[in-house]
Amino acid sequence: MNKKIAITFLCVALTQFAWAEEKTASGKSLSKNPVSAEAEKVFRDSFRVDSPKYWSQRLEQDETMKLCSQYKDNPPVAVRQKIELAQKATIRYPVDGKLLGDWKEGEKIAAHGRGGHIGFIQPDKPMTPRGGNCYACHQLAAKEVAYGTIGPSLHHFGKIRGNSDEIVKYAYDKIYNSNAFSACTNMPRFGLHSWLTPEEITHVVAFLMDPESPVNKD
Amino acid sequence: MIQRLIRTLVGAAVVAAFAGSTAAQDSKVADELAKYREALADGNPADLLEVKGEGLWAEKRGPKNASLEQCDFGLGPGKLDGAYAQLPRYFKDTGKVMDVESRLVHCMVTLQGFTREQATKNWFSKPGTESDIEALVTFIGAKSNGKPINVPATHPEEKKMYQIGEYIFYRRSGPQDFSCAICHGQNDKRIRLQDLGNLTTKEGAGTAMKTWPSYRVSQGAVWTMQRRLIDCMRQARFPEPNYLSDSIVALQVYLQKNATGTVMETPGIKR
């Protein structure tokens, strides 16, 4: 228990350190782009002023987003390392510390692609649960043929990588904050944005790892 | 034309038959589209809308009881051949870079006397509500069929809009960390089963841009480029930008410049 508290403190300290550092760095580099200030204003001014506050919050950028945008997702090594370090420090774990949940739940979350669409024309119904939408970008279970290719195939992920503690933790961390391993990746940071809860992430991890899961079995 | 129309009418019936299952799974939609393309051969329900747009273009309407025939899309009043293919562009009279829809609305206001609200009220169709703008843009677009897209963005204002469009294309935000580039920045990728062109290249942008406006089978309607891009913002989980907002025009300058040189094939037909 003591150990856990200590780790939490360390994490918080690290986050703040990294964040402060990022700010100065980006302050300098962002001014390089000649139209960015005007472009940002044009972008912001394109949305309705009377839209709900949580909508406009989706236009805000954290330092990682700003840097990735600025470098068109291809930052120089130093910036890349800085982002990855800062993002690693954001990762939080479920209270009981277990990283392997129920793969059947995980299967549902991975397949579910709706939730979180806003606007006046075709929003999701208010209480639509948010899914991981992993199939949008990844192949997973062989039986699902409607998978995208933005990310690599994760078919047989556990079978190939094994299910050592390190791999389980890697999978959890990757889903929680993809940018901890590859700055400016196309993969969303599901945990950081609370798009998925830590518990939901453990279910998805089990879906990737469990030998009985269709990801590995078929 | 008559023969094309008859084919189209048959096509419309086929579409109606499919429209029921719009929310169906992507894979099913892909099958439907294949079947649908076969059934249609080279007909397209958008052809009906094109005819309607042609009528609206010449009809005296609005408080000023005037037609749109004097509307200037950059090639001179009433000159529509190839006009769509060279938009968006800078217009001296408004001091703005405008796309086809901004310019059309401008003409509905200045020539016909509609208010902006009246002109844009039904900027896209819904079941039971038709959209004049959709029809007019389909007609105007078709007048560029066979013409190469030509948006060099050399005027300083156009150049600036290109840069703004590029900025927005790579701008990441929202609860999924998305930007346009996430889905449209690489070759040969797909999301679920939908192919995503690389809109940063001439080939990818050209393949996409030459077909708009397009009849969308899954929606049972023609979509304009404004509609397409505003929906992509929704897919990115962003809020909805305003119709005709500068962001959407800027993105079009970016995409049309990338696509420049590609020969238009519109109205298109899409998933």
Side-chain angles (χ1 to χ4, degrees):
Chain A
M1 190 61 195
N2 266 343
K3 199 168 140 199
K4 212 163 159 187
I5 290 172
I7 289 177
T8 312
F9 269 114
L10 189 69
C11 286
V12 172
L14 259 177
T15 322
Q16 266 160 11
F17 164 69
W19 190 66
E21 202 196 48
E22 262 182 11
K23 258 200 159 165
T24 42
S26 72
K28 248 183 271 155
S29 39
L30 276 178
S31 57
K32 270 188 235 146
N33 187 335
V35 298
S36 66
E38 188 175 355
E40 181 65 19
K41 185 169 165 13
V42 165
F43 184 69
R44 298 273 180 158
D45 287 349
S46 295
F47 298 89
R48 282 169 65 148
V49 279
D50 63 345
S51 43
K53 187 135 188 267
Y54 83 97
W55 287 14
S56 9
Q57 267 159 6
R58 294 190 176 191
L59 302 177
E60 300 302 330
Q61 293 180 295
D62 68 4
E63 288 303 305
T64 299
M65 290 163 168
K66 280 185 194 160
L67 289 166
C68 294
S69 307
Q70 183 195 337
Y71 291 109
K72 297 185 176 169
D73 299 324
N74 197 9
V77 179
V79 176
R80 180 181 295 277
Q81 284 171 348
K82 203 177 57 165
I83 291 173
E84 289 169 6
L85 187 71
Q87 294 306 301
K88 231 171 228 139
T90 67
I91 299 171
R92 297 286 176 274
Y93 297 94
V95 262
D96 64 6
K98 279 203 215 126
L99 301 187
L100 276 171
D102 174 356
W103 69 260
K104 286 184 182 139
E105 282 305 308
E107 182 171 32
K108 284 184 225 154
I109 295 165
H112 180 51
R114 299 222 64 79
H117 294 90
I118 55 177
F120 301 95
I121 303 176
Q122 261 183 312
D124 286 322
K125 291 202 186 77
M127 296 312 282
T128 309
R130 300 191 295 200
N133 204 14
C134 314
Y135 282 107
C137 300
H138 294 287
Q139 180 183 31
L140 292 136
K143 68 184 171 203
E144 177 54 272
V145 294
Y147 62 85
T149 57
I150 295 174
S153 171
L154 301 175
H155 183 228
H156 287 174
F157 186 82
K159 204 168 169 179
I160 295 165
R161 303 282 187 99
N163 49 6
S164 65
D165 288 353
E166 290 83 73
I167 294 293
V168 169
K169 182 168 179 304
Y170 165 66
Y172 181 94
D173 288 356
K174 179 76 194 174
I175 300 166
Y176 192 99
N177 192 332
S178 56
N179 279 253
F181 302 91
S182 38
C184 305
T185 169
N186 285 352
M187 177 159 156
R189 294 171 290 174
F190 290 99
L192 182 83
H193 291 297
S194 303
W195 189 266
L196 299 176
T197 64
E199 284 66 30
E200 285 172 325
I201 296 176
T202 66
H203 299 324
V204 179
V205 172
F207 180 53
L208 290 178
M209 296 296 169
D210 200 298
E212 287 307 305
S213 152
V215 168
N216 299 310
K217 201 167 185 188
D218 316 316
Chain B
M1 186 68 194
I2 294 288
Q3 215 190 357
R4 204 169 148 208
L5 251 182
I6 291 172
R7 243 185 278 131
T8 302
L9 286 170
V10 175
V14 179
V15 176
F18 285 126
S21 55
T22 49
Q25 278 177 348
D26 296 330
S27 50
K28 242 171 111 189
V29 174
D31 288 350
E32 278 172 11
L33 186 53
K35 267 190 275 168
Y36 170 79
R37 281 218 169 97
E38 247 168 60
L40 274 183
D42 56 349
N44 182 341
D47 295 347
L48 284 175
L49 213 60
E50 186 186 325
V51 173
K52 186 182 163 200
E54 187 170 12
L56 285 170
W57 177 254
E59 194 184 318
K60 291 195 168 67
R61 299 196 311 152
K64 293 191 184 169
N65 195 34
S67 80
L68 286 164
E69 286 161 319
Q70 288 303 304
C71 187
D72 183 352
F73 284 92
L75 301 176
K79 294 221 157 47
L80 289 185
D81 285 342
Y84 185 102
Q86 46 92 61
L87 289 168
R89 66 176 287 155
Y90 176 75
F91 287 89
K92 259 204 195 116
D93 56 1
T94 56
K96 280 180 78 78
V97 176
M98 300 168 94
D99 68 347
V100 65
E101 288 169 76
S102 318
R103 195 64 187 170
L104 176 61
V105 167
H106 170 78
C107 287
M108 289 168 84
V109 171
T110 54
L111 299 177
Q112 298 184 309
F114 289 113
T115 65
R116 216 178 140 83
E117 291 65 39
Q118 287 167 336
T120 57
K121 183 159 182 277
N122 294 315
W123 66 269
F124 65 96
S125 60
K126 304 173 198 78
T129 316
E130 292 187 11
S131 162
D132 290 346
I133 287 184
E134 263 170 24
L136 283 159
V137 173
T138 306
F139 165 65
I140 297 163
K143 289 273 182 191
S144 282
N145 211 359
K147 299 274 184 345
I149 295 173
N150 183 24
V151 179
T154 41
H155 186 284
E157 290 298 320
E158 293 166 354
K159 196 172 163 217
K160 196 169 74 189
M161 283 297 258
Y162 173 84
Q163 290 172 314
I164 292 172
E166 183 180 38
Y167 173 90
I168 296 172
F169 193 84
Y170 286 99
R171 187 189 186 281
R172 300 187 71 161
S173 75
Q176 296 268 275
D177 297 309
F178 280 149
S179 68
C180 311
I182 296 308
C183 291
H184 298 297
Q186 292 167 280
N187 291 332
D188 306 322
K189 296 288 178 190
R190 49 170 225 253
I191 189 158
R192 285 281 180 161
L193 290 176
Q194 284 108 262
D195 289 324
L196 301 162
N198 182 349
L199 300 178
T200 67
T201 64
K202 180 182 171 193
E203 208 212 323
T207 308
M209 298 307 280
K210 71 180 180 185
T211 60
W212 293 87
S214 238
Y215 182 82
R216 292 206 57 203
V217 180
S218 62
Q219 309 294 317
V222 168
W223 276 24
T224 64
M225 190 37 74
Q226 286 268 341
R227 179 82 175 91
R228 174 67 266 176
L229 296 182
I230 289 172
D231 191 64
C232 271
M233 291 267 193
R234 183 188 68 91
Q235 291 198 68
R237 310 299 198 282
F238 298 161
E240 204 167 280
N242 293 317
Y243 181 54
L244 309 183
S245 60
D246 280 342
S247 287
I248 302 297
V249 176
L251 281 168
Q252 286 182 73
V253 177
Y254 176 70
L255 297 171
Q256 287 281 80
K257 180 170 157 57
N258 291 350
T260 285
T262 314
V263 174
M264 294 281 294
E265 292 172 33
T266 175
I269 186 156
K270 306 241 143 170
R271 184 185 74 87

